[in-house]
Every structure is written in C-alpha cells, then in structure tokens.
Amino acid sequence: MIKTPILAAVAMAFAGSAFADEMEYMPPVTHAATLEECSACHMAYPAGFLPAQSWRVMMTTLEDHFGENAGLDEETRAEIEAYLVANAGRDLSGDGAVPQRISELPWFRHEHEEEVSKRQFEKAKSWANCNACHERAEQGIFEDD
Amino acid sequence: MKYLLILPLCLLAAPLAAQSTTPSDLIANYTAEAGVAASAERGQALFTASHTGGKPDTPSCTTCHGADPRAAGLARTGKPIEPLAPLANPERLTDLKFVEKWFGRNCNSVLGRDCTSAEKADVIAWLSSL
C-alpha cells in the first residue's frame, strides 16, 4: 500500500520529465534476427524510435536502403518487419508521416544541434553511428555523454 | 567403449560444421559454373574499378571495403568492416549463405546487377591470393 503512491510518483516523473521527451532511454532490440541483420551494418536501432508505418515502408524497400541494397530472404524480412511494427513508437507527427531517417526527426535534431562538436562528428563519421558517442546505446541508453 | 571412439570424432567435426565452405571450394564451384578459369587480376580490376551502373553512393567495392582487402573497411554508417582477405580474417569465405547474400546485395549496390559466377570466382581468387 505504501509502495503504490511512490511508484505512481516515479512513473509520473518519468512520463512527464525531459527523460521521456528527450528519448534518452528506448528499449533495445531483443529479437535475434533483427539484431543480427540490422547490426551487420549499423547498430540495431530500437523499434520505438519510429512509428509502425515507417517500419512497414522501410522493410518493403530494402533493395534501396539509404542508397544500398539490404535485401533479405522473404522469411527473415517478414519476421523482422513484424517485430519492428509490434514494438514501434508513437506517431509523434500526429499526421501519419512516414519518416525513414531517425536522424531527421525533430527531437533528434533538437537533441544533437549544438551538442555535437565537429570533432565528435568526425569520430562518429555518421549520425547512424549512435554508439560512437553513446557508449551504452546498445542497452537502450542515450543519455548525454 | 564405442562412445569413447565417437567422442574425439565429434570434437573434430565440430569446428568444421560451422564452416560450410572454404575459399578454394568457392573458387572451384564458381569456376565450374562459369566454365572459365578464375583470374585474380580480373578480380582485382573489378573490385577496385569505379562503376556507373549501380547506386550513386557506392560506385566501387572500395567505397566501403577500402582499397586493401587485408585491412578493415568502413561502412557509410561509420561501422568498421572486417578485412575481406582470408589471410587477414580467417572467418571470411567460409559460409556459403553469407557469401551469396553479400555478393547479391553488394553487386547490385555497386554494379546495378548480380555478379556472374565468373566474377565471383575472380574476386575470391584475388582475395585469396593476398
């Protein structure tokens, strides 16, 4: 009985805090095929960073995946799409937009603008390379480092 | 007693089971499909050339793999790519499914088409010669 108000207060603090707004934690990918296939070329980004409609489009356009062919056999492709869609994030745009690059989302730009030095970016080489700066990105932790 | 005989055989077989192929088997099989002998020189030329038929961001194998297959490359995402040459990276060219998957993707990214069996044999002959 004593625990309930504390838990509620903690939950409210998290839900309403900058912690949630700034996307500093997002549950990491746990699905084996998604982990294996996506992280062949980049960290397997958490499904919650994009809404379901984005993953559906991405997973049916793998022949041109940001300028490269990332085609998969149909069984693996469908399995990964189902996982990503089931664990997708909210549609933050509210208008059914279908963003593809996480790095072009307003919250991402806001969080990285003026935060990332030229030297840091040169080290990371690409906005795709989360774990170059966020050492615990693969555990879903994207706090400012 | 029989188990005592079988056990060492199992231990011997275990590392082989993870390997579905070898560079020389791949060259032999692709060469047989192509009907022409593999050429390391042609493989090097294909690997290092700039092509125009594929996707604009990846005009060459070297775009991501670098010019020296004994060294690591770098994907456009900033992620390092382990060396392609088997001498530098013994895991390379030992998994047929993996080899076919990446030839399939990357030939289409770079050339805009599948590689022929002859081209695959040539590239692997070059990588194996390094």
Side-chain angles (χ1 to χ4, degrees):
Chain A
M1 282 300 281
I2 296 164
K3 278 181 188 164
T4 314
I6 297 171
L7 281 176
V10 168
M12 278 173 71
F14 274 94
S17 74
F19 189 81
D21 293 347
E22 292 173 0
M23 303 286 191
E24 291 192 340
Y25 178 76
M26 192 55 82
V29 170
T30 51
H31 181 248
T34 306
L35 258 182
E36 186 185 337
E37 296 298 341
C38 302
S39 62
C41 298
H42 53 71
M43 196 196 114
Y45 308 127
F49 278 150
L50 287 174
Q53 66 266 24
S54 292
W55 291 123
R56 284 198 192 95
V57 168
M58 194 175 296
M59 291 307 295
T60 46
T61 53
L62 288 175
E63 290 65 34
D64 189 358
H65 185 67
F66 304 102
E68 285 178 48
N69 185 313
L72 287 165
D73 65 87
E74 175 53 23
E75 192 187 336
T76 310
R77 190 208 63 74
E79 194 190 319
I80 292 174
E81 179 182 332
Y83 167 78
L84 292 169
V85 167
N87 293 278
R90 284 184 299 132
D91 179 2
L92 295 173
S93 73
D95 61 7
V98 190
Q100 295 292 290
R101 280 187 197 273
I102 298 165
S103 58
E104 286 176 1
L105 294 171
W107 65 261
F108 184 102
R109 299 182 88 133
H110 177 76
E111 284 300 314
H112 292 85
E113 245 166 39
E114 295 172 18
E115 287 285 326
V116 178
S117 70
K118 208 179 150 193
R119 214 172 119 236
Q120 280 175 310
F121 188 80
E122 277 168 8
K123 180 187 152 210
K125 308 270 196 295
S126 160
W127 292 117
N129 200 4
C130 309
N131 37 345
C133 300
H134 301 284
E135 287 176 10
R136 292 181 294 166
E138 281 167 6
Q139 286 91 60
I141 300 163
F142 297 88
E143 288 163 359
D144 294 342
D145 291 313
Chain B
M1 277 304 283
K2 265 186 190 167
Y3 292 108
L4 291 176
L5 290 171
I6 290 166
L7 185 65
L9 289 172
C10 291
L11 290 174
L12 273 174
L16 295 173
Q19 296 202 347
S20 69
T21 188
T22 63
S24 49
D25 280 354
L26 286 167
I27 296 169
N29 293 340
Y30 286 133
T31 300
E33 278 173 37
V36 284
S39 152
E41 289 72 27
R42 277 201 309 266
Q44 180 178 13
L46 180 74
F47 190 92
T48 53
S50 259
H51 303 273
T52 52
K55 300 191 193 297
D57 291 322
T58 54
S60 172
C61 308
T62 63
T63 304
C64 298
H65 288 292
D68 182 358
R70 291 166 296 191
L74 191 69
R76 290 164 57 239
T77 56
K79 187 182 163 91
I81 302 174
E82 296 301 310
L84 285 176
L87 214 58
N89 179 4
E91 277 180 42
R92 282 292 179 201
L93 307 170
T94 58
D95 180 340
L96 180 61
K97 218 177 142 190
F98 188 91
V99 168
E100 275 293 295
K101 171 173 145 184
W102 286 96
F103 266 131
R105 287 174 165 182
N106 294 349
C107 292
N108 275 282
S109 288
V110 173
L111 304 173
R113 61 169 175 80
D114 288 337
C115 284
T116 63
S117 297
E119 287 168 332
K120 294 176 190 174
D122 291 347
V123 168
I124 295 173
W126 180 54
L127 296 175
S128 305
S129 74
L130 296 171

